[in-house]
Amino acid sequence: MSLRTIAAAAILAVTGATAAHADLLDDIKARGELSCGTLNYLPGVGFLDDKGEWSGYDVDFCKAAAAAILGDPSKLKLVALTGPQKFPALDSGEIDILSRSVTQTISRETTLGYDFIGPNLMTGQGFMVRKDSGVTSVDDLDGATICVLGGSAQERYLAEYFAYKGMTFTPVAAEGGDQMYPMYFDGRCDAVTQEPPYMAIRRLRSGQADEHVILSDIISKSYEAPVIREGSPRLREVLQWMHWGMITAEEMGITQANVEEMAATSQDPNVRNFLGTDGNVGQDMGVSNDWMVNVIKAVGNFGEFFDRNLGKNSALGVERGMNALHRDGGVLFAPGWQ
């Protein structure tokens, strides 16, 4: 064997070993706990109450992930993160998943080394104004003072949109929502701009909900998604198909209340395959065959997940809009479960 052949074999052995390195999915299973970064101060999204109980849309995604991977939503370590902390915590490995209202963008996915899941909340950049201002559309905000999160994509989109429309505005930049919304409610700006669900949360918490209106105009898309580091394709597959599974469950009429009965009694081959009664879909992915039963028991189907935290069964009452199933006028659909 030539030296060149020996060297090539050595390189192949090293790269093969690297390729075979345990996926983060295996690390989580071995550890027996999932670490998930989220918010702890925003009811409906991520909130930790004075009893030590977590709730919210982003928190429920973490619970669903723990149920999918470990079979138990309580095998979960939730880590409260500020905006500046979120990506460093993910990069360092302090957390396995970042579920903290992160907007999916091409630059974040293609240049920063992240994989996005979902997206699990489809919204956009809108505006809230005082009801007595007479403003009914974004076109009425020419010359307005607008509160915006400084350094955010929203600040850039706002400037680009107004320049394109030939309109002017005065930005009032804030470091975070806890600074921005008091400025708006105190009258330091004519409007505030963010995604409608978050404006609805702040409006409700202000005690002045009837005095403010969220305009229907959306000036940019904002698709929000949980995030993991690149390099764990099996974990990404489990989380992505978990998201699609919650949508599929709603399509099939499988709910938190009936999932165990459906798994035990349904004769529909599609339902039996989906819930792991037949086949080895879960096992082939590295989780239990009844993994979607565990997910739905933990957080429900997608409709239940949305409505409990943000929608009609919450204090916020956010319309599903784009987040409805495709058959109901939204954009949600899932690939086949075969």
Side-chain angles (χ1 to χ4, degrees):
M1 182 180 293
S2 69
L3 290 176
R4 179 175 295 180
T5 302
I6 293 171
I11 292 171
L12 182 61
V14 171
T15 56
T18 301
H21 183 270
D23 192 286
L24 183 54
L25 176 67
D26 299 311
D27 294 342
I28 295 167
K29 290 166 63 178
R31 190 193 314 142
E33 182 180 68
L34 174 72
S35 178
C36 198
T38 190
L39 291 164
N40 67 348
Y41 63 85
L42 206 56
V45 178
F47 188 70
L48 178 62
D49 67 19
D50 55 9
K51 297 179 181 178
E53 296 180 355
W54 289 84
S55 63
Y57 197 82
D58 288 344
V59 169
D60 270 2
F61 182 90
C62 299
K63 292 178 180 178
I69 297 168
L70 300 170
D72 184 345
S74 70
K75 292 182 177 179
L76 175 66
K77 178 184 178 182
L78 290 161
V79 180
L81 298 171
T82 65
Q85 293 172 331
K86 60 186 180 183
F87 289 124
L90 184 63
D91 293 337
S92 70
E94 178 185 356
I95 57 173
D96 302 313
I97 303 171
L98 175 62
S99 181
R100 192 192 179 283
S101 309
V102 180
T103 301
Q104 182 174 3
T105 67
I106 187 170
S107 61
R108 285 175 171 171
E109 183 139 24
T110 61
T111 66
L112 298 183
Y114 299 136
D115 280 333
F116 286 79
I117 309 301
N120 72 338
L121 181 62
M122 302 186 190
T123 179
Q125 184 174 347
F127 298 85
M128 181 164 64
V129 298
R130 290 167 188 78
K131 190 176 292 186
D132 62 10
S133 68
V135 172
T136 59
S137 78
V138 67
D139 292 339
D140 297 330
L141 292 175
D142 191 11
T145 299
I146 302 176
C147 284
V148 62
L149 294 173
S152 67
Q154 294 161 354
E155 186 177 32
R156 175 166 59 87
Y157 294 153
L158 179 65
E160 291 174 348
Y161 181 83
F162 272 68
Y164 169 72
K165 298 284 286 187
M167 296 163 56
T168 63
F169 74 101
T170 301
V172 178
E175 292 183 0
D178 287 342
Q179 181 189 54
M180 179 172 71
Y181 282 96
M183 291 194 301
Y184 166 71
F185 288 118
D186 288 344
R188 290 183 55 188
C189 40
D190 303 310
V192 63
T193 183
Q194 203 179 17
E195 291 86 357
Y198 304 116
M199 293 191 291
I201 291 168
R202 297 288 185 164
R203 179 175 62 176
L204 180 68
R205 293 173 67 189
S206 73
Q208 310 169 22
D210 293 340
E211 300 174 23
H212 302 269
V213 61
I214 297 171
L215 303 180
S216 60
D217 303 83
I218 296 293
I219 66 170
S220 68
K221 293 183 293 186
S222 180
Y223 285 9
E224 297 187 357
V227 192
I228 62 172
R229 298 180 301 280
E230 282 184 347
S232 292
R234 292 173 60 229
L235 176 62
R236 185 200 64 78
E237 288 172 355
V238 168
L239 296 176
Q240 183 62 67
W241 280 95
M242 180 190 83
H243 166 72
W244 284 330
M246 291 165 66
I247 295 170
T248 300
E250 184 178 8
E251 292 173 339
M252 290 182 168
I254 301 170
T255 68
Q256 230 174 356
N258 70 19
V259 62
E260 291 184 300
E261 180 183 359
M262 294 281 279
T265 65
S266 177
Q267 296 305 306
D268 184 331
N270 293 316
V271 172
R272 292 176 65 84
N273 185 54
F274 174 69
L275 295 179
T277 308
D278 293 337
N280 292 301
V281 170
Q283 181 180 313
D284 292 343
M285 297 175 70
V287 294
S288 67
N289 282 330
D290 64 347
W291 67 299
M292 281 309 306
V293 174
N294 295 330
V295 168
I296 298 163
K297 283 170 60 178
V299 302
N301 64 37
F302 191 90
E304 292 175 298
F305 163 71
F306 185 96
D307 287 339
R308 177 176 60 256
N309 292 299
L310 300 177
K312 64 183 181 181
N313 296 329
S314 76
L316 301 174
V318 175
E319 296 291 334
R320 282 189 68 176
M322 289 187 289
N323 297 286
L325 297 179
H326 186 266
R327 70 186 185 197
D328 298 328
V331 300
L332 290 191
F333 66 95
W337 209 270
Q338 289 84 27

